[in-house]
Amino acid sequence: MMIRPQVFKIDLSFVDVCICRTSEGSEEKDSDRILAFTLSQSGKHAVLTDDHKRLVLFSTEPSWQCISTRWVVRRCTSLVFTQAEDELYVADKSGDVYSFSVLEPQKPGELKLGHLSMLLDMTLSPDDKYIITADRDEKIRVSLRRAPYNIQAFCLGHREFVSSLLVPEQRPDWLLSGSGDGMVNVWHYETGKRLHSVDLRKLCPDSENTDVAKKFAVSRMVGSPDGHHVAVQCERLPVIQLFLQGSGEEELLKSSETLALPLAPWDIAFDSQNRLWVILESQEVNVLLYGFSEPHWKQCDPESPDLKRVTDSLHTHWHLFTGSVGGESPFEHLYKVNFDNMASYLQKKRERLELESKKRAAANSSKNRKKCKTES
């Protein structure tokens, strides 16, 4: 999703409206969290879902207006519009995907496909032919959108949950996937063939840290509109890893630069001018803007009109974000937990054998004493 010139301005007023709307008449203020939010490709529609399982659809032109409020069955994890913007797909924590009509905003959702595991991300192919889902159990499924019961392919190879998906600009046949194993894979999703892999732990300056090495989740991937750059954000790490999209068959993603940040980013996005916006979890310095000037990315002037407008707006509305500062990582409980029962078993076995050996030694000693007394 690209940032368009008007999006930031609208977003902030939109968040204000949303929080006010969801807080009114609610006794549990802490449960009014917005779980997922997305814009359509043209920016004419926006949708969000919250902790109360409401699906709220907005029209953004000529001004923001609520079109409908519908209900979902389970709490949602991902939302995506079709390219035609006539349908909205909703993925939830139980592994189901529902389709909601945009043209008929009061029509209930229709179940399209199910999974045996929690869905973490979802995307559509640029031609709207395939729906691509990623789940907690390391799998990526490619299904026909018009006939979701027909599975085109599985993309298998990650060792932890798959947390982020991206079909890059200019390469509609590629799929990029990020995971809790710290890997970014490039796939030909129609066949399920893995084309390239990048281990982010080798590129991160904190990779020697044991805790970082164990839990290294990709939280967001975005591609520039010109199709040349891909930015990757990792959970809790104060860096952005940038790649160049290759055209050859050997190195399809080439590491170009690592941007060091003062804090771990909240979110990242490219705008229509191929500039990279970074939102930070800080009221003092909340937005950074980078532009590409060959061969490096450079931070833009803090006094630039676009950056100053966004920064001032965030400062004004910062009270809306204070409840999210320092929140728990959404990936913390998704990692596989291994129980080493064998070590415990072997320890108990050693203790049992030692105890039996002592009993035998004591019995032999008593037997020998009795024998000596008898001979005497």
Side-chain angles (χ1 to χ4, degrees):
M1 182 185 71
M2 294 184 301
I3 300 173
R4 290 169 177 78
Q6 79 277 18
V7 166
F8 268 113
K9 182 177 179 181
I10 294 174
D11 259 355
L12 293 169
S13 59
F14 158 72
V15 171
D16 198 355
V17 170
C18 288
I19 292 182
C20 290
R21 288 177 61 90
T22 56
S23 296
E24 289 177 359
S26 172
E27 296 179 0
E28 299 179 25
K29 294 182 179 179
D30 292 339
S31 66
D32 290 323
R33 293 182 303 124
I34 296 174
L35 302 179
F37 163 75
T38 192
L39 286 165
S40 63
Q41 186 66 22
S42 68
K44 294 180 180 179
H45 294 93
V47 66
L48 71 85
T49 182
D50 65 8
D51 243 349
H52 288 291
K53 305 176 187 176
R54 289 174 289 199
L55 183 71
V56 187
L57 179 64
F58 289 86
S59 171
T60 65
E61 294 182 1
S63 61
W64 282 76
Q65 181 181 4
C66 179
I67 299 176
S68 69
T69 300
R70 288 172 280 191
W71 299 90
V72 293
V73 179
R74 297 283 187 274
R75 288 180 174 84
C76 300
T77 56
S78 184
L79 305 167
V80 61
F81 284 97
T82 59
Q83 294 291 325
E85 301 187 18
D86 57 345
E87 275 188 290
L88 167 69
Y89 283 84
V90 178
D92 65 29
K93 289 186 175 182
S94 66
D96 293 331
V97 176
Y98 287 82
S99 170
F100 287 83
S101 174
V102 176
L103 304 179
E104 300 178 72
Q106 303 303 328
K107 185 178 179 181
E110 179 183 353
L111 178 63
K112 290 295 183 181
L113 66 158
H115 300 69
L116 297 177
S117 180
M118 178 193 301
L119 293 179
L120 301 179
D121 202 7
M122 172 179 59
T123 189
L124 295 173
S125 60
D127 58 1
D128 283 342
K129 183 178 180 181
Y130 299 108
I131 180 169
I132 307 171
T133 51
D135 66 27
R136 183 180 181 176
D137 291 337
E138 312 157 16
K139 298 188 298 296
I140 301 170
R141 184 199 293 186
V142 183
S143 308
L144 290 172
R145 188 174 73 90
R146 294 297 184 185
Y149 45 82
N150 286 333
I151 299 175
Q152 174 69 20
F154 282 100
C155 300
L156 305 176
H158 285 294
R159 298 185 302 277
E160 283 286 356
F161 55 87
V162 183
S163 49
S164 184
L165 299 174
L166 171 68
V167 177
E169 299 284 345
Q170 311 303 327
R171 290 309 303 255
D173 56 332
W174 285 6
L175 173 70
L176 274 60
S177 63
S179 168
D181 60 11
M183 301 293 293
V184 173
N185 289 339
V186 183
W187 310 86
H188 184 269
Y189 59 82
E190 279 193 295
T191 61
K193 180 181 178 182
R194 181 164 54 179
L195 305 176
H196 186 65
S197 294
V198 177
D199 189 348
L200 295 176
R201 288 167 295 190
K202 296 180 180 179
L203 304 175
C204 176
D206 294 331
S207 59
E208 295 181 358
N209 185 314
T210 305
D211 294 333
V212 171
K214 286 183 178 179
K215 297 184 177 181
F216 201 105
V218 176
S219 57
R220 183 116 162 97
M221 296 189 297
V222 292
S224 62
D226 62 8
H228 294 158
H229 305 279
V230 173
V232 179
Q233 170 189 342
C234 292
E235 185 70 9
R236 305 282 185 179
L237 292 181
V239 295
I240 299 293
Q241 187 63 50
L242 289 149
F243 295 90
L244 286 172
Q245 286 185 212
S247 56
E249 293 297 325
E250 294 184 359
E251 195 168 19
L252 305 183
L253 274 185
K254 182 179 180 181
S255 176
S256 60
E257 195 165 351
T258 301
L259 297 180
L261 306 175
L263 296 169
W266 253 349
D267 203 1
I268 57 175
F270 282 102
D271 63 16
S272 56
Q273 302 176 42
N274 298 304
R275 297 178 300 180
L276 180 64
W277 293 79
V278 181
I279 300 180
L280 301 177
E281 192 176 343
S282 169
Q283 184 175 6
E284 290 73 26
V285 182
N286 47 42
V287 181
L288 299 175
L289 180 60
Y290 293 88
F292 185 69
S293 178
E294 190 114 18
H296 298 294
W297 287 85
K298 296 181 180 179
Q299 191 170 342
C300 297
D301 183 4
E303 297 300 320
S304 66
D306 288 345
L307 182 56
K308 190 167 178 52
R309 175 170 58 83
V310 174
T311 302
D312 292 344
S313 297
L314 280 174
H315 275 298
T316 303
H317 296 84
W318 188 255
H319 63 282
L320 303 176
F321 303 98
T322 53
S324 300
V325 175
E328 186 181 25
S329 168
F331 304 117
E332 186 68 27
H333 304 293
L334 299 180
Y335 287 92
K336 291 182 291 187
V337 179
N338 296 319
F339 296 95
D340 190 1
N341 295 329
M342 182 58 69
S344 176
Y345 165 76
L346 292 176
Q347 176 66 23
K348 290 180 179 179
K349 184 177 181 180
R350 281 195 297 270
E351 292 174 356
R352 187 177 69 252
L353 292 175
E354 289 174 1
L355 182 60
E356 290 176 355
S357 177
K358 290 178 180 179
K359 287 181 178 179
R360 284 196 298 269
N364 291 334
S365 177
S366 176
K367 185 177 181 180
N368 291 334
R369 285 197 300 269
K370 288 181 180 179
K371 183 177 181 181
C372 290
K373 287 180 180 181
T374 302
E375 290 177 352
S376 299

